mmCIF file of all heavy atoms in Angstrom:
data_model
loop_
_atom_site.group_PDB
_atom_site.id
_atom_site.type_symbol
_atom_site.label_atom_id
_atom_site.label_comp_id
_atom_site.label_asym_id
_atom_site.label_seq_id
_atom_site.Cartn_x
_atom_site.Cartn_y
_atom_site.Cartn_z
ATOM 1 N N LEU T 6 110.602 118.510 89.679
ATOM 2 C CA LEU T 6 109.549 119.400 89.203
ATOM 3 C C LEU T 6 109.353 120.511 90.234
ATOM 4 O O LEU T 6 109.163 120.244 91.412
ATOM 5 C CB LEU T 6 108.254 118.603 89.010
ATOM 6 C CG LEU T 6 107.153 119.213 88.184
ATOM 7 C CD1 LEU T 6 107.616 119.441 86.748
ATOM 8 C CD2 LEU T 6 105.933 118.301 88.181
ATOM 9 N N ILE T 8 107.925 123.928 92.359
ATOM 10 C CA ILE T 8 106.655 124.309 92.971
ATOM 11 C C ILE T 8 105.848 125.130 91.973
ATOM 12 O O ILE T 8 106.364 126.033 91.333
ATOM 13 C CB ILE T 8 106.889 125.109 94.265
ATOM 14 C CG1 ILE T 8 107.561 124.222 95.295
ATOM 15 C CG2 ILE T 8 105.578 125.677 94.810
ATOM 16 C CD1 ILE T 8 107.983 124.942 96.548
ATOM 17 N N ARG T 13 102.962 115.227 83.613
ATOM 18 C CA ARG T 13 102.284 113.935 83.524
ATOM 19 C C ARG T 13 103.268 112.850 83.921
ATOM 20 O O ARG T 13 104.435 112.880 83.523
ATOM 21 C CB ARG T 13 101.793 113.663 82.111
ATOM 22 C CG ARG T 13 100.658 114.542 81.725
ATOM 23 C CD ARG T 13 99.716 113.833 80.766
ATOM 24 N NE ARG T 13 98.574 114.676 80.534
ATOM 25 C CZ ARG T 13 97.435 114.607 81.221
ATOM 26 N NH1 ARG T 13 97.298 113.724 82.166
ATOM 27 N NH2 ARG T 13 96.438 115.405 80.961
ATOM 28 N N ILE T 14 102.777 111.890 84.677
ATOM 29 C CA ILE T 14 103.622 110.775 85.098
ATOM 30 C C ILE T 14 103.892 109.880 83.899
ATOM 31 O O ILE T 14 102.970 109.500 83.170
ATOM 32 C CB ILE T 14 102.953 109.993 86.234
ATOM 33 C CG1 ILE T 14 102.797 110.898 87.456
ATOM 34 C CG2 ILE T 14 103.754 108.739 86.575
ATOM 35 C CD1 ILE T 14 102.008 110.298 88.596
ATOM 36 N N LYS T 21 109.539 96.615 94.533
ATOM 37 C CA LYS T 21 108.188 96.098 94.314
ATOM 38 C C LYS T 21 107.156 96.667 95.297
ATOM 39 O O LYS T 21 106.083 97.108 94.889
ATOM 40 C CB LYS T 21 108.230 94.582 94.412
ATOM 41 C CG LYS T 21 107.001 93.898 93.920
ATOM 42 C CD LYS T 21 107.196 92.399 93.891
ATOM 43 C CE LYS T 21 106.005 91.724 93.280
ATOM 44 N NZ LYS T 21 106.186 90.273 93.183
ATOM 45 N N LEU T 27 102.878 103.355 95.669
ATOM 46 C CA LEU T 27 102.714 104.575 94.873
ATOM 47 C C LEU T 27 101.561 104.436 93.880
ATOM 48 O O LEU T 27 100.749 105.359 93.716
ATOM 49 C CB LEU T 27 104.017 104.906 94.143
ATOM 50 C CG LEU T 27 105.204 105.290 95.031
ATOM 51 C CD1 LEU T 27 106.469 105.390 94.189
ATOM 52 C CD2 LEU T 27 104.937 106.575 95.778
ATOM 53 N N ALA T 37 97.943 113.400 85.452
ATOM 54 C CA ALA T 37 98.412 114.783 85.590
ATOM 55 C C ALA T 37 98.672 115.065 87.064
ATOM 56 O O ALA T 37 97.891 114.664 87.929
ATOM 57 C CB ALA T 37 97.365 115.744 85.044
ATOM 58 N N MET T 46 111.636 122.739 105.178
ATOM 59 C CA MET T 46 112.959 122.185 104.896
ATOM 60 C C MET T 46 113.011 121.511 103.517
ATOM 61 O O MET T 46 114.001 120.895 103.167
ATOM 62 C CB MET T 46 113.356 121.181 105.984
ATOM 63 C CG MET T 46 113.471 121.813 107.363
ATOM 64 S SD MET T 46 114.739 123.065 107.468
ATOM 65 C CE MET T 46 116.172 122.056 107.553
ATOM 66 N N LEU T 54 96.591 115.844 92.517
ATOM 67 C CA LEU T 54 96.311 114.926 91.420
ATOM 68 C C LEU T 54 94.957 114.266 91.637
ATOM 69 O O LEU T 54 94.520 114.121 92.775
ATOM 70 C CB LEU T 54 97.398 113.850 91.312
ATOM 71 C CG LEU T 54 97.515 112.837 92.437
ATOM 72 C CD1 LEU T 54 97.918 111.494 91.869
ATOM 73 C CD2 LEU T 54 98.543 113.296 93.433
ATOM 74 N N ALA T 67 111.546 110.864 93.863
ATOM 75 C CA ALA T 67 112.674 110.654 92.956
ATOM 76 C C ALA T 67 112.516 109.380 92.123
ATOM 77 O O ALA T 67 113.188 109.207 91.108
ATOM 78 C CB ALA T 67 113.976 110.588 93.747
#
Side-chain angles (χ1 to χ4, degrees):
L6 196 62
I8 295 173
R13 290 212 174 267
I14 297 173
K21 193 173 185 178
L27 294 172
M46 298 297 283
L54 67 145

